[in-house]
Amino acid sequence: MPDCNRHPVPALAPPARAALPAAMLLAALLASAATAAPACDPVALDGRSLTLAQVESVARRGCGVTLADDAMLRAQRSYDLLLAYARLERPVYGLNRGVGLNKDQTIFEGSEISAEVRKLSEQFNRNLLRSHSAAYGAESPQDVTRAAMLIRLNTALFGGSGMQPAVLRQYAEFINRGITPVMFGEGSVGEADITILPQIGLAMTGEGEVYYGGRRLPAAEALRQAGLEPVRPFGKDALSIVSSNAYGAAVASLAALDAARLLTQADTVAALSLEGLNGNLAPILPAAQAQRPYGGQLRTAQHMTAMLQGSSLWQQDAQRPLQDPLSFRTVSQAHGAARDMLDLLQRQLQLQINSSDDNPTVALDARPPETAQPYERQFYVTEGPVRGAVLPSAGFDPSGWALPLQGMTVALSQVAQLSTQRTLRLTDPGFTGLPRFLSPGNGAIGYGPIQKTVSSLAAEIRTLSMPMSTDVQPQAGNIEDVGTNAPASGRRLAAQVDRMTTLLAVELMHAAQAVDLRIAKQPDFKTGAGTGALWREFRKQVPYMAEDRRNDVDIVRAAEFLARGRSQAEAGATAR
């Protein structure tokens, strides 16, 4: 059992994206400086109950893990069952037979694990890790790599992998001691991340490079400094290490958490824009919402209503148009639909990180049905101290969460479209009834050129939503002829969140400017409790634009303002 307190892991710096549930939005959103993440208790892993919040706490805050005794017993029995099945001299993919194109190649024969058989198996495992390490591109962020190790460890504890318990303990040691493999993050087709995950397996054997103690160094040296022995993969270990969607699930899980917080933030920015427009509250009133009570839509409307409590928008105004542009009227529908898609994605990811996606899968204590035919019975061990089945499986296909993940990129593109159009409408006196964002007659240009920035961001976000789940070429002698590109979709969602932060920052600049001008025109105009707090805190970072100045500097400050709020929200959420 690993000791999480022997080598405390420093909290990892949070990325510049993520935010809070509605009830705690203001405390996080309005803070002007990030605080250090509090110390966190280790996460107890049992293969059944890992949450996305716990994934984030380990990945981003450096929390450690403990391994539940019953889960380690289950893993040991899973390993024993795998070997018992092999002793029946039946072919097992990745154990006594090759993989992929070499699926029918015999690695070893016989019912006993002799010294010669072990030597052959260990060599096969080393070769498999090396040959499958075929990733490319940018390094995977360290938080994603930690999340991938955690997810693979927890899914192995479910009991379907048949991995040596020693390998599982090495995963835990890497997490607890802050040993993070240097890992390239591109090259998976999303049908198990078999080109990316070998880099973790190799690091555990002492090959490759890792980050340890704030330095990048050879894995063998890090193991020596940490007092760890390299693992020696045997049996089906190497296949179990690589044949998993742990990397794609890590990318998607962290991106989903970030997207949830971004949506919460987007509600409040949209509400401030509504005040800048002097718009109508009717579309978010309970009576209107009750006519089409979608869950996410109701949550968005309730959140915006709470942010706008005390606003002058609740007062009648003869100058207010009867209806607003659709980008203002449909916020609850678009943001709500994104929330509904996100709920589905998070539910499916929750199942992914607490189940087995192994092939072949080890089904502990499974019994053949009484009506089972000989074909079905061949997969079972029905005698001996440990019983169950070893079955070829397609559990590595992540379509269950890859499709809602892709849907989430489309949903965020819709949210971005609304933000873009609201921003552009706020500069139009025909909609706002306000003077242009700088007084005419002094040669000022103001927020005119920034519209190109808005258009560019919108185009990038839209492009990142393009479908790609079926864009896979057949491989391995045409056996592996489908895929999902799930990791790439996850990276696209993460990239959308980054760009959406900047887009919302530009909208916030416009909304705050419109509110300033509205108050100058109507001194008794009041902002809501939540929107007003946002506006006042934002003005401490980005002042009112009274004359032309560099917009790029303001964009950076505004984006940092939003990112700081979400980083604090992340720390608060994982602390709970």
Side-chain angles (χ1 to χ4, degrees):
M1 195 75 62
D3 181 352
C4 311
N5 298 316
R6 282 184 301 175
H7 298 271
V9 182
L12 303 179
R17 53 179 198 267
L20 231 183
M24 296 183 67
L25 173 68
L26 290 181
L29 182 64
L30 304 180
S32 59
T35 58
C40 52
D41 295 328
V43 173
L45 299 181
D46 59 9
R48 299 287 195 273
S49 59
L50 181 65
T51 67
L52 297 184
Q54 289 172 327
V55 171
E56 186 171 58
S57 70
V58 171
R60 290 176 169 168
R61 295 178 56 223
C63 298
V65 298
T66 59
L67 307 181
D69 291 340
D70 60 342
M72 285 301 289
L73 176 60
R74 186 164 55 242
Q76 179 67 59
R77 294 180 65 237
S78 173
Y79 173 67
D80 293 342
L81 176 59
L82 179 69
L83 296 187
Y85 185 82
R87 289 189 184 99
L88 298 176
E89 299 192 60
R90 294 173 185 169
V92 182
Y93 184 79
L95 174 63
N96 53 23
R97 297 297 185 271
V99 299
L101 209 62
N102 298 319
K103 66 186 185 306
D104 298 316
Q105 177 181 326
T106 299
I107 306 304
F108 62 82
E109 292 181 314
S111 59
E112 295 303 318
I113 308 298
S114 65
E116 179 61 25
V117 165
R118 178 170 283 276
K119 180 179 178 181
L120 288 171
S121 179
E122 289 181 353
Q123 183 62 53
F124 168 72
N125 276 259
R126 284 194 299 273
N127 290 345
L128 192 154
L129 289 174
R130 289 166 178 166
S131 65
H132 283 63
S133 187
Y136 68 93
E139 281 186 24
S140 169
Q142 291 187 54
D143 61 343
V144 172
T145 303
R146 281 180 63 83
M149 291 192 293
L150 172 70
I151 291 170
R152 173 69 280 207
L153 172 56
N154 192 64
T155 56
L157 290 171
F158 180 86
S161 75
M163 254 193 280
Q164 287 186 91
V167 176
L168 305 187
R169 286 190 287 270
Q170 191 83 320
Y171 276 109
E173 294 287 5
F174 267 46
I175 292 168
N176 290 334
R177 297 168 185 262
I179 303 173
T180 306
V182 175
M183 191 168 82
F184 298 117
E186 298 175 63
S188 171
V189 299
E191 207 77 359
D193 304 317
I194 64 174
T195 58
I196 295 175
L197 293 175
Q199 298 167 95
I200 294 174
L202 288 169
M204 293 194 297
T205 70
E207 289 193 29
E209 293 185 308
V210 300
Y211 292 101
Y212 178 59
R215 297 170 53 217
R216 178 172 175 159
L217 67 165
E221 176 62 19
L223 290 175
R224 187 191 66 77
Q225 291 185 19
L228 297 175
E229 291 294 325
V231 294
R232 299 176 67 178
F234 162 75
K236 196 174 76 72
D237 289 345
L239 180 61
S240 295
I241 288 168
V242 308
S243 186
S244 161
N245 293 285
Y247 168 75
V251 175
S253 296
L254 295 177
L257 291 165
D258 293 340
R261 296 173 183 137
L262 180 83
L263 286 173
T264 300
Q265 214 166 39
D267 291 348
T268 306
V269 173
L272 186 67
S273 290
L274 190 65
E275 289 180 315
L277 183 75
N278 191 26
N280 289 276
L281 296 174
I284 60 173
L285 294 178
Q289 290 289 312
Q291 300 301 302
R292 295 179 76 240
Y294 290 111
Q297 177 180 314
L298 288 173
R299 298 205 306 273
T300 300
Q302 290 165 357
H303 182 209
M304 292 182 67
T305 300
M307 294 296 100
L308 289 164
Q309 287 303 310
S311 172
S312 290
L313 296 186
W314 294 96
Q315 306 301 318
Q316 289 184 318
D317 186 344
Q319 303 302 312
R320 187 176 296 146
L322 179 62
Q323 291 196 335
D324 303 326
L326 289 177
S327 54
F328 290 85
R329 270 191 280 162
T330 64
V331 171
S332 67
Q333 284 78 14
H335 290 200
R339 279 190 165 86
D340 289 337
M341 181 61 72
L342 186 60
D343 287 346
L344 173 61
L345 172 60
Q346 290 182 318
R347 285 198 305 273
Q348 299 297 79
L349 286 170
Q350 189 74 28
L351 195 154
Q352 164 67 34
I353 66 177
N354 288 290
S355 60
S356 172
D357 56 1
D358 288 274
N359 172 46
T361 191
V362 181
L364 274 172
D365 303 321
R367 297 182 179 181
E370 291 183 4
T371 58
Q373 299 298 310
Y375 169 79
E376 187 175 359
R377 289 184 179 276
Q378 71 177 314
F379 300 114
Y380 286 84
V381 175
T382 56
E383 310 221 348
V386 59
R387 304 179 186 186
V390 177
L391 303 120
S393 164
F396 52 77
D397 184 286
S399 295
W401 56 267
L403 293 178
L405 174 63
Q406 186 167 268
M408 192 61 211
T409 66
V410 177
L412 270 196
S413 178
Q414 183 76 356
V415 172
Q417 180 189 31
L418 266 66
S419 176
T420 299
Q421 298 304 326
R422 286 194 303 269
T423 301
L424 298 177
R425 297 297 85 73
L426 286 174
T427 62
D428 189 338
F431 288 104
T432 64
L434 298 171
R436 294 200 177 272
F437 275 21
L438 281 178
S439 301
N442 63 358
I445 297 171
Y447 282 158
I450 206 173
Q451 294 181 358
K452 295 176 174 59
T453 304
V454 172
S455 178
S456 176
L457 284 165
E460 280 196 72
I461 294 167
R462 183 172 60 253
T463 299
L464 288 166
S465 73
M466 298 300 177
M468 63 182 306
S469 63
T470 57
D471 191 10
V472 175
Q473 305 305 313
Q475 307 121 49
N478 292 327
I479 295 171
E480 300 169 8
D481 53 355
V482 299
T484 65
N485 286 319
S489 292
R491 290 194 302 272
R492 284 187 171 194
L493 179 60
Q496 280 186 316
V497 171
D498 285 337
R499 285 155 180 77
M500 273 291 297
T501 299
T502 304
L503 183 62
L504 283 177
V506 176
E507 182 184 355
L508 179 55
M509 289 164 58
H510 284 68
Q513 190 79 0
V515 167
D516 285 325
L517 292 171
R518 187 157 302 286
I519 291 174
K521 181 181 178 182
Q522 302 169 241
D524 60 344
F525 186 88
K526 291 183 175 56
T527 56
T531 53
L534 170 66
W535 169 60
R536 287 187 292 273
E537 288 299 318
F538 179 67
R539 280 295 180 232
K540 295 177 183 177
Q541 306 301 317
V542 180
Y544 170 73
M545 181 179 279
E547 59 184 17
D548 278 325
R549 62 173 184 260
R550 292 185 59 161
N551 279 315
D552 54 354
V553 173
D554 283 357
I555 292 170
V556 169
R557 288 174 177 166
E560 288 177 348
F561 171 80
L562 293 179
R564 276 198 304 273
R566 291 208 304 279
S567 293
Q568 283 197 315
E570 170 192 306
T574 53
R576 295 193 301 280

